[in-house]
Amino acid sequence: MERHEFAPAPSCGKRVAVIGAGNVAMDVARTSLRQGARNVTIYARSKHVSASSGEVEFAQLDGAELVYGKAVQEIDDNGPVLRTAIFDEEGTVVGYEDELDHVSCDTVVIAASQKAKDKQGLTTDALVANDRGPLEVDENGMTMMPGVFAAGDVVSGPSTVVHAVAGANRAVAGIMSYLGI
C-alpha cells in the first residue's frame, strides 16, 4: 500500500475573525482554536444567529467570542472593517453607525450563509417549490421535471453539510437508476 505524505495545515495565526454566525462559522471558530489560535471572534450582523444553540454553546465553551451587531464593510490588510448596527425596539437592524471599527487579526474567514436562489423555480414551470421555498423532489431526488435532480439547500433549505451530502447521495442513486446504470 502506497503511503501518502500530507503537508501540515497552514497556520491561522493567533487572532482569527470569523464573519457569519451559522453552524459553519461555529465549526470554523472551533477548528481555529484547535489549530492554535488564541483569540477567535465570531461577528454576527444582527442580534440573532442561524447556528444551532448547541453549536454556539460549544464554540463559546471552546473559547470563541461572539459579537452581535457587526456588519463587514470591507477587509483590509489588517483584518475586517466593521460597522455597528443600530437596532429598533424589536431588535431589527434599521441602520449602521458611521464610525468604522478596524479589527486587527491574522486571519479572516468568511463563513456567511448563502441561501439557494429561486430563479430556477420562477423561470421553469416544471420545477415546483414547496410552501417553505425549497424544490419538491421525490424519494430519489428527482424534481417534478423528469430527468432533473436536485439536492442540498435548494431541496432541504439551509442545513448541515452532512444533510446536503446525504441528499446528494440519494440523488446520485436516483440518477443512476433513471439512466439504467
Side-chain angles (χ1 to χ4, degrees):
M1 184 166 164
E2 187 177 336
R3 181 184 166 142
H4 296 279
E5 295 292 324
F6 294 99
S11 172
C12 58
K14 298 295 180 196
R15 296 167 301 166
V16 176
V18 180
I19 309 303
N23 287 330
V24 171
M26 301 306 143
D27 289 343
V28 167
R30 296 178 74 200
T31 300
S32 298
L33 289 160
R34 290 183 187 129
Q35 293 295 322
R38 295 289 167 244
N39 181 324
V40 176
T41 306
I42 303 163
Y43 294 97
R45 267 186 304 176
S46 69
K47 290 185 177 183
H48 309 286
V49 297
S50 58
S52 69
S53 59
E55 289 295 324
V56 172
E57 183 178 351
F58 288 141
Q60 290 175 321
L61 285 171
D62 282 353
E65 178 185 4
L66 184 54
V67 176
Y68 297 94
K70 296 290 186 177
V72 177
Q73 181 71 29
E74 66 179 292
I75 299 172
D76 65 20
D77 291 339
N78 294 315
V81 178
L82 307 166
R83 279 217 142 98
T84 302
I86 300 168
F87 298 99
D88 65 13
E89 51 278 350
E90 282 88 37
T92 303
V93 176
V94 294
Y96 294 93
E97 294 178 5
D98 290 333
E99 187 177 334
L100 299 175
D101 296 325
H102 295 262
V103 174
S104 180
C105 63
D106 301 308
T107 301
V108 178
V109 179
I110 300 172
S113 67
Q114 297 177 339
K115 293 183 179 177
K117 303 294 182 208
D118 61 358
K119 288 180 183 178
Q120 298 92 350
L122 293 174
T123 60
T124 308
D125 291 336
L127 295 178
V128 179
N130 65 31
D131 57 350
R132 293 183 352 262
L135 292 178
E136 288 283 345
V137 296
D138 65 15
E139 66 278 357
N140 298 312
M142 187 161 56
T143 67
M144 302 304 127
M145 178 181 262
V148 176
F149 293 77
D153 290 0
V154 74
V155 171
S156 63
S159 191
T160 65
V161 172
V162 172
H163 287 102
V165 170
N169 285 334
R170 203 170 25 259
V172 167
I175 292 167
M176 304 230 353
S177 175
Y178 183 81
L179 295 174
I181 300 174

